[in-house]
Amino acid sequence: MDGKKLEYKGVEALKELEKLTTKADEVQEDILKKILAQNGETDYLNKYIVGSKNVSQFKRCVPVITYKDIRPYIVRIANGEDSSLITGHPITEMLCSSGTSAGEPKLMPSIAQDLDRRTFLYNLIMPIINQYVSGLGDGKAMFLNFVKAEMSTPCGIPARTVLTSYYKSRHFKCRARDLYNDFTSPDQAILCYDSNQSMYCQLLAGLINRHKVLRLGAVFASALLRAISFLERNWHNLCDDIRTGNLSASINDPGCRSAMSIMLSSPDPNLADEIEEICRCPSWKGIVCHLWPNAKYIEAVVTGSMSQYIPALKYYSDENLPLVCTMYASSECYFGVNLKPLCDPSEVSFTLLPNMGFFEFIPLEDNRTSFMDLDEDEEVPQSQLVDLVHVKVGCYYELVVTTFSGLYRYRIGDVLQVTGFHNQTPQFRFICRRNVLLSIDNDKTNEEDLHKSITVAKKLLDPYNALLVEYTSYADTSSVPGHYVIYWEIIHSTSVIDNAISIDAKVLQECCIAMEEELDYIYRRCRTNDKSIGPLEIRVVKQGTFDSLMDLFITQGASINQYKTPRCIKSKAALKLLNNNVSECYFSPRDPAWIA
């Protein structure tokens, strides 16, 4: 599927969706044939199928891989070698995905046609929602979208996030104006690299148009909560701008000043008074609905690790205002859409679009604990993989994708459960990321990364004859921004201590920053540049706390013979036990090092 079909909108897009999902098996085989026709002569595929375009030979001979397997090819291309190492089309950009255990961002190859596929999926969103929500063309959408600073590879290929790629593309900048993409935020504010100036201007634009806003949101739930926190700190200045018709002098980005000066064409003291009266309320419960009273839903990713933000979103909005999660995508590939956008967040399922890439699945045991322990280095036999149309309802799988841009049988790392079918195409519920312990925003910290960071940090205790005997962790999102909490039980090499009084507080603060310095590139960017994660916290617990934790889990059915301290705590009872035994708390004293 290409050309005109990738530009379909409205009813035509829905008709194309029905065609695709009705013949998913044919579409999938056709996609794989096209990938092999385009990329069959690449160095990578020639290792396994020597120029063959045969689908059966591909499935029989090409191995299932992870990033470490394809990384050497990507590094060679980044350093100037030809794209034909992995794909038949020129690689136009590298998309920065979540960090590797080595601390650097993953670089995912992307070709020009990938933007067409992403745009096709974006164009499906409104036709789907319009089936359930009427009148959205009568107002505006307040979507808080942001770009991130770009890098480039040694040979000059741009390296940026997938969303930055889209917002800077002609597909976004030159999009046709219609009733359903009338945004409050001017493009200049979205494209501003200074996140604070961008946030200020986008919120200001949303407030100016508060009575016209019919839907609002951000890509991730965490970003929307950051916006509310930003608004809480800056509403006085925003009201001053509206009251006087003059943009704050703190906004010095030329594009932002130009766009917002047009929007602030004249003073509006009445609007400023309205907003001020709402924001002055001692409780901000329901603030979103008070400020944007005509909003019909909030759009944001609220599945997976983002589900932890649902209670906060409900608090700031309204229990009856729907939280809509529209699509399932990653830097590697865009996957599917939610055909029932008004469903409860716990019931969100995504219909995978068979024209986005070639999809296969690794069957998994029905055991959530096993999902967290999946070993990405374990070899997966090719014969074990299941095609898209042959998955079974109720079963769990790990997603594997083959793309036009040079990923072949690549393990995405997402665990999915099949919830049903739309026509011939399966629908999946996102369960979790493979082996991810902690996540606040875009960060994904696994057990290995956490252990490495603690191994470095605990060495700072050696001069005090102190030993770290046990630890666990928790992603605390009770405040914005959220932050990592690490529970430590410390003993002296000669005698047990109940707290860390004998160790200088600065030492434990340095332990915090030492951990952060060892965490990956994405975490450090979120902490230092995006400010979407707060300072890491170490909570020192009393002697015997982890014994009590083991006792708790054993009473709940854990085997004493097989018990291992969980490296991340989800249980409310376990968190209560840990927090009741905290003797001291310490935070990182500064931001970790991060270079764009």
Side-chain angles (χ1 to χ4, degrees):
M1 176 182 178
D2 44 38
K4 173 64 179 171
K5 293 183 179 180
L6 287 171
E7 299 175 2
Y8 280 157
K9 290 186 176 182
V11 174
E12 290 301 312
L14 293 178
K15 288 180 180 178
E16 189 62 30
L17 175 64
E18 288 302 298
K19 288 181 183 177
L20 290 169
T21 55
T22 300
K23 298 181 178 180
D25 54 347
E26 295 178 21
V27 174
Q28 278 281 275
E29 182 160 356
D30 183 57
I31 284 290
L32 183 54
K33 286 179 178 178
K34 287 180 177 178
I35 291 173
L36 294 178
Q38 174 188 293
N39 301 342
E41 300 299 329
T42 59
D43 287 25
Y44 183 87
L45 284 180
N46 269 327
K47 281 175 52 181
Y48 304 106
I49 53 177
V50 197
S52 172
K53 312 296 190 296
N54 185 276
V55 167
S56 296
Q57 189 175 357
F58 173 88
K59 291 182 179 182
R60 187 171 62 253
C61 300
V62 175
V64 179
I65 64 168
T66 60
Y67 185 71
K68 69 178 180 59
D69 300 303
I70 195 68
R71 182 179 180 275
Y73 293 87
I74 292 173
V75 169
R76 288 168 63 187
I77 294 169
N79 286 329
E81 293 192 47
D82 196 79
S83 300
S84 61
L85 287 173
I86 58 174
T87 178
H89 284 196
I91 290 173
T92 54
E93 59 186 350
M94 295 288 186
L95 301 180
C96 303
S97 185
S98 301
T100 68
S101 59
E104 295 302 320
K106 294 178 182 176
L107 295 178
M108 295 299 166
S110 182
I111 60 176
Q113 292 81 356
D114 288 339
L115 273 165
D116 296 331
R117 277 177 277 276
R118 293 177 205 131
T119 302
F120 171 78
L121 191 147
Y122 285 133
N123 287 345
L124 285 174
I125 302 303
M126 286 313 301
I128 292 170
I129 291 179
N130 284 337
Q131 296 177 107
Y132 297 89
V133 184
S134 61
L136 292 176
D138 298 332
K140 291 178 176 287
M142 179 184 155
F143 289 147
L144 304 174
N145 296 317
F146 304 91
V147 297
K148 296 188 185 297
E150 296 183 47
M151 304 177 290
S152 51
T153 69
C155 73
I157 299 174
R160 49 199 173 204
T161 68
V162 66
L163 293 173
T164 298
S165 166
Y166 177 71
Y167 297 138
K168 296 198 71 175
S169 73
R170 62 176 178 79
H171 296 73
F172 178 75
K173 290 181 177 180
C174 304
R175 64 196 183 279
R177 304 290 170 173
D178 63 42
L179 294 175
Y180 299 110
N181 65 16
D182 187 3
F183 303 134
T184 57
S185 297
D187 286 5
Q188 296 93 322
I190 294 172
L191 295 171
C192 174
Y193 283 122
D194 186 317
S195 59
N196 284 326
Q197 293 192 57
S198 176
M199 179 77 81
Y200 189 97
C201 292
Q202 292 193 62
L203 284 173
L204 179 58
L207 291 171
I208 291 170
N209 291 283
R210 63 182 291 257
H211 293 295
K212 297 178 182 178
V213 170
L214 300 184
R215 51 198 170 107
L216 68 156
V219 175
F220 293 108
S222 57
L224 188 55
L225 288 174
R226 286 204 309 278
I228 294 170
S229 178
F230 186 96
L231 179 61
E232 200 165 6
R233 298 191 305 273
N234 291 278
W235 65 265
H236 297 89
N237 294 333
L238 292 161
C239 285
D240 286 345
D241 291 0
I242 295 170
R243 179 172 286 107
T244 63
N246 294 313
L247 184 63
S248 168
S250 66
I251 306 302
N252 55 33
D253 178 84
C256 286
R257 287 208 70 85
S258 174
M260 297 311 300
S261 295
I262 295 171
M263 201 169 286
L264 285 168
S265 56
S266 60
D268 195 338
N270 292 331
L271 177 59
D273 288 344
E274 285 177 18
I275 297 167
E276 185 172 351
E277 184 178 358
I278 293 169
C279 292
R280 280 195 185 280
C281 290
S283 170
W284 271 38
K285 189 176 191 299
I287 189 73
V288 169
C289 294
H290 298 319
L291 287 173
W292 296 282
N294 298 315
K296 298 187 178 187
Y297 65 85
I298 291 174
E299 183 175 326
V301 174
V302 290
T303 54
S305 64
M306 289 294 130
S307 64
Q308 62 192 317
Y309 298 109
I310 292 173
L313 285 177
K314 289 292 186 182
Y315 174 84
Y316 286 116
S317 57
D318 182 276
E319 286 292 335
N320 297 317
L321 190 66
L323 299 179
V324 172
C325 189
T326 59
M327 57 185 284
Y328 172 37
S330 75
S331 301
E332 294 89 342
C333 181
Y334 276 31
F335 302 117
V337 292
N338 179 6
L339 296 181
K340 296 181 178 179
L342 298 187
C343 69
D344 186 85
S346 64
E347 297 174 356
V348 169
S349 289
F350 300 102
T351 303
L352 263 63
L353 301 179
N355 62 318
M356 292 289 106
F358 182 67
F359 302 126
E360 296 174 283
F361 301 86
I362 303 170
L364 303 173
E365 296 180 14
D366 184 2
N367 180 343
R368 191 176 182 90
T369 301
S370 70
F371 303 158
M372 301 303 292
D373 294 334
L374 288 171
D375 183 0
E376 69 171 23
D377 293 324
E378 182 180 347
E379 187 173 329
V380 178
Q382 290 95 323
S383 60
Q384 189 179 336
L385 269 62
V386 178
D387 288 345
L388 178 68
V389 298
H390 294 134
V391 296
K392 296 180 180 179
V393 173
C395 293
Y396 295 86
Y397 299 89
E398 182 185 344
L399 177 59
V400 175
V401 66
T402 296
T403 69
F404 286 92
S405 54
L407 300 179
Y408 304 99
R409 309 191 104 174
Y410 179 86
R411 294 173 69 173
I412 294 295
D414 291 353
V415 176
L416 310 175
Q417 182 187 26
V418 185
T419 57
F421 280 78
H422 178 75
N423 297 324
Q424 196 190 23
T425 304
Q427 298 172 307
F428 294 88
R429 180 166 65 97
F430 180 90
I431 301 299
C432 64
R433 286 284 296 172
R434 180 186 63 220
N435 193 27
V436 170
L437 292 183
L438 297 169
S439 180
I440 297 290
D441 189 53
N442 294 327
D443 54 305
K444 297 177 180 69
T445 298
N446 61 34
E447 185 170 342
E448 181 184 11
D449 291 344
L450 180 64
H451 180 71
K452 285 181 178 179
S453 70
I454 287 178
T455 299
V456 170
K458 70 181 182 179
K459 291 178 181 178
L460 298 177
L461 302 178
D462 291 348
Y464 296 85
N465 293 319
L467 298 173
L468 176 65
V469 293
E470 195 56 277
Y471 71 88
T472 190
S473 64
Y474 169 60
D476 185 349
T477 57
S478 60
S479 59
V480 178
H483 69 291
Y484 288 10
V485 175
I486 315 297
Y487 295 92
W488 278 16
E489 185 172 325
I490 301 171
I491 64 168
H492 275 304
S493 57
T494 53
S495 63
V496 176
I497 59 170
D498 285 343
N499 54 49
I501 293 174
S502 60
I503 304 175
D504 192 288
K506 290 183 179 179
V507 173
L508 285 154
Q509 290 173 354
E510 288 301 316
C511 288
C512 294
I513 190 64
M515 283 192 62
E516 292 197 299
E517 294 283 6
E518 290 298 315
L519 293 175
D520 72 18
Y521 176 93
I522 301 296
Y523 173 89
R524 288 182 281 115
R525 187 195 71 199
C526 288
R527 266 281 283 126
T528 302
N529 184 71
D530 303 350
K531 304 298 183 185
S532 58
I533 300 177
L536 182 143
E537 178 185 5
I538 288 177
R539 297 180 186 174
V540 179
V541 297
K542 299 173 184 176
Q543 176 233 338
T545 297
F546 279 86
D547 289 338
S548 299
L549 185 67
M550 180 178 70
D551 292 340
L552 172 66
F553 282 116
I554 288 172
T555 61
Q556 294 177 345
S559 166
I560 191 169
N561 292 317
Q562 296 177 305
Y563 176 80
K564 294 186 295 184
T565 299
R567 293 309 177 201
C568 182
I569 297 295
K570 307 288 186 183
S571 159
K572 290 182 179 179
L575 281 173
K576 182 178 179 181
L577 185 153
L578 288 166
N579 288 326
N580 285 345
N581 285 280
V582 170
S583 57
E584 297 289 343
C585 301
Y586 304 91
F587 290 87
S588 285
R590 57 187 179 275
D591 292 344
W594 176 80
I595 300 174

